[in-house]
Amino acid sequence: MAKTLAINAGSSSLKFQLLDMPAETVIAKGQVERIGLPESVFTMKFNREKTEIVRDIADHKAAIEEMLEQFRTQNVADKSEITGVGHRVVAGGEWFNKSVIVDDEVLHKIHRLADYAPLHNPANATGIEVFQELLPDAVSVAVFDTAFHQTLPRENYLYPLPYEYYTKYGARKYGAHGTSHRYVAERAADMMGKPLSDLKLITLHLGAGASITAIKDGKSFDTSMGFTPLAGLMMATRSGDVDPSLIYYIQEREGLSNAEMLRILNNKSGLLGVSTLSSDMRDLEEVADTNEHAKLALDMFLNRVVRYLGQYTFEMGGVDGIVFTAGIGENAANVREDIIARLKFLGIEMDKEANNVRGVERIISTPESSATVLLVPTNEELEIARDVERLKAQAGK
């Protein structure tokens, strides 16, 4: 069987998962953290055992060499067995509405889109280049976070700004988490026993980064993240939607630069900013009964989620299924219950016993519920590996 790598390269990190395809079996997975910093950390799980190595890893090339060496020494895989590498790329702009085999032109465009995701696209491109050097015979595939959302109608992706800013700078909504939304929507349709094209779904990717997507006729119809992943829901440290005039107002009075203000909106806001305590939902839940700010942060998070659920239900003219996924969505049963409780007036009802699980794929609504509520653990790595195999087959490789 072919072995396929799913790769997510960050500015100082590299996450990987090696799968046996087409069996879709995970062989090994892990990550390298603190790349380029002292005491980098390599971790890998293989055969139910965990390897951890702490040493300086200078750059992404050294990180990938370490991973391949551990594959060899632990009999995970030989380099020659890895026939495809799928790379998560955050921003595809309007150039990419699907995953593609990487060639020089594709790589050039990923670099050119760096302004759309300055913390991600350069690192994604670096990962691709290093793998092409170290595994020259493996097919490289770019899988774009934004590709799934390229089906948004114009009225949903354009901003009410002078139209020239769209034509000159590509100023529009691109969304994110598209690979996750695509995977859980397909699984939800299978679980409901209906074609995805016949369903109106709302998928909730609720984690440290959070986004909600309306899926109609099997396609992304609207999504909460915007030109960047800062827009939309309140998140762990990101503000989500804020009046732009308020941002300018605070900048003027605090004497903040644009970069400093963006750092506050991205890294010091959301659950962390409101609670003044933590960006982790679990920490806030522990003290919500006695800490006013923690409770307020949780209430605001729920409010924003329900606001988007209502908007997308009306936009699509109804909803057949609501899907929870990602860290909070998969593991916080009480958050799922609190959200669905606010939709009871629509006839949507949670089965409390079925909902009392963490990370288990199942339907969690009652049989009488007007819409099916599902818990579907996301698996972006599997979706990436599937795209690699599909494109390899199309190219006859």
Side-chain angles (χ1 to χ4, degrees):
M1 290 186 181
K3 292 181 172 64
T4 297
L5 265 171
I7 296 295
N8 182 356
S11 57
S12 61
S13 66
L14 180 86
K15 295 180 182 179
F16 62 87
Q17 192 168 121
L18 182 68
L19 300 99
D20 231 335
M21 298 298 286
E24 300 187 350
T25 304
V26 177
I27 302 170
K29 62 181 178 180
Q31 61 184 340
V32 188
E33 301 173 278
R34 294 176 55 83
I35 296 173
L37 299 171
E39 297 184 331
S40 309
V41 182
F42 172 93
T43 56
M44 182 175 74
K45 292 181 180 179
F46 171 62
N47 275 349
R48 298 182 181 179
E49 294 186 3
K50 181 178 179 180
T51 299
E52 181 172 306
I53 299 170
V54 179
R55 69 172 183 82
D56 293 356
I57 297 177
D59 52 29
H60 283 77
K61 183 177 181 180
I64 294 166
E65 287 175 334
E66 180 70 56
M67 180 196 70
L68 294 174
E69 177 62 14
Q70 291 302 317
F71 283 179
R72 186 187 68 81
T73 59
Q74 297 192 42
N75 294 316
V76 176
D78 185 80
K79 289 192 334 183
S80 62
E81 296 177 276
I82 301 171
T83 59
V85 184
H87 299 268
R88 178 200 179 209
V89 180
V90 169
E94 291 188 321
W95 281 325
F96 301 104
N97 61 5
K98 59 185 178 181
S99 301
V100 295
I101 292 176
V102 178
D103 57 20
D104 290 343
E105 182 182 358
V106 169
L107 190 56
H108 177 65
K109 287 179 176 177
I110 292 171
H111 278 294
R112 286 186 60 188
L113 289 164
D115 285 347
Y116 290 14
L119 298 179
H120 297 91
N121 266 44
N124 302 154
T126 297
I128 292 171
E129 291 165 343
V130 173
F131 271 101
Q132 286 181 328
E133 177 185 347
L134 297 179
L135 297 176
D137 296 328
V139 175
S140 290
V141 172
V143 181
F144 299 91
D145 272 6
T146 54
F148 182 60
H149 302 302
Q150 283 299 298
T151 56
L152 267 60
R154 297 180 81 196
E155 62 268 25
N156 285 347
Y157 73 68
L158 285 175
Y159 291 112
L161 298 170
Y163 193 79
E164 64 179 300
Y165 297 151
Y166 168 61
T167 56
K168 289 167 67 175
Y169 308 118
R172 53 157 289 177
K173 177 186 288 191
Y174 291 101
H177 297 144
T179 306
S180 175
H181 287 292
R182 173 163 58 111
Y183 174 81
V184 300
E186 290 168 349
R187 284 298 307 137
D190 288 343
M191 294 165 69
M192 295 171 71
K194 297 180 180 179
L196 180 58
S197 57
D198 291 349
L199 294 170
K200 297 173 182 175
L201 299 179
I202 302 177
T203 51
L204 290 78
H205 180 107
L206 305 181
S211 63
I212 298 182
T213 294
I215 298 170
K216 184 179 181 182
D217 301 326
K219 302 173 183 177
S220 178
F221 181 72
D222 207 348
T223 194
S224 58
M225 285 182 168
F227 180 72
T228 73
L230 177 58
L233 294 173
M234 173 184 182
M235 305 175 220
T237 63
R238 290 177 230 171
S239 65
D241 296 333
V242 177
D243 182 346
S245 294
L246 176 60
I247 296 170
Y248 179 73
Y249 177 88
I250 292 171
Q251 271 191 267
E252 287 284 290
R253 277 144 189 82
E254 293 287 321
L256 299 169
S257 67
N258 290 338
E260 290 169 331
M261 192 70 231
L262 273 176
R263 196 174 304 115
I264 290 168
L265 293 170
N266 274 294
N267 304 116
K268 296 184 178 181
S269 299
L271 294 175
L272 175 63
V274 175
S275 73
T276 72
L277 176 66
S278 174
S279 63
D280 193 310
M281 178 76 70
R282 294 164 295 186
D283 294 338
L284 303 185
E285 288 179 325
E286 284 183 7
V287 299
D289 289 341
T290 57
N291 186 304
E292 179 184 354
H293 286 278
K295 185 177 186 306
L296 176 60
L298 294 175
D299 287 343
M300 288 176 64
F301 178 81
L302 293 173
N303 172 273
R304 269 58 176 181
V305 171
V306 173
R307 185 181 301 176
Y308 271 97
L309 280 168
Q311 176 184 330
Y312 291 165
T313 297
F314 274 83
E315 271 193 74
M316 293 193 294
V319 60
D320 300 308
I322 296 171
V323 189
F324 288 93
T325 196
I328 297 170
E330 294 173 25
N331 297 299
N334 53 332
V335 171
R336 296 192 298 263
E337 185 176 339
D338 288 345
I339 290 169
I340 298 304
R342 301 185 186 204
L343 306 179
K344 192 171 183 178
F345 75 100
L346 294 174
I348 303 174
E349 295 186 3
M350 181 76 81
D351 182 329
K352 291 187 178 182
E353 184 176 344
N355 182 50
N356 190 27
V357 291
R358 293 166 57 90
V360 177
E361 185 179 275
R362 61 167 54 171
I363 292 173
I364 54 175
S365 53
T366 65
E368 298 79 22
S369 179
S370 62
T372 304
V373 184
L374 307 98
L375 193 169
V376 181
T378 192
N379 196 336
E380 294 165 282
E381 291 81 9
L382 176 56
E383 195 75 4
I384 289 170
R386 286 172 175 171
D387 281 359
V388 172
E389 295 307 300
R390 176 177 53 81
L391 287 168
K392 278 171 51 183
Q394 289 178 4
K397 297 183 179 181

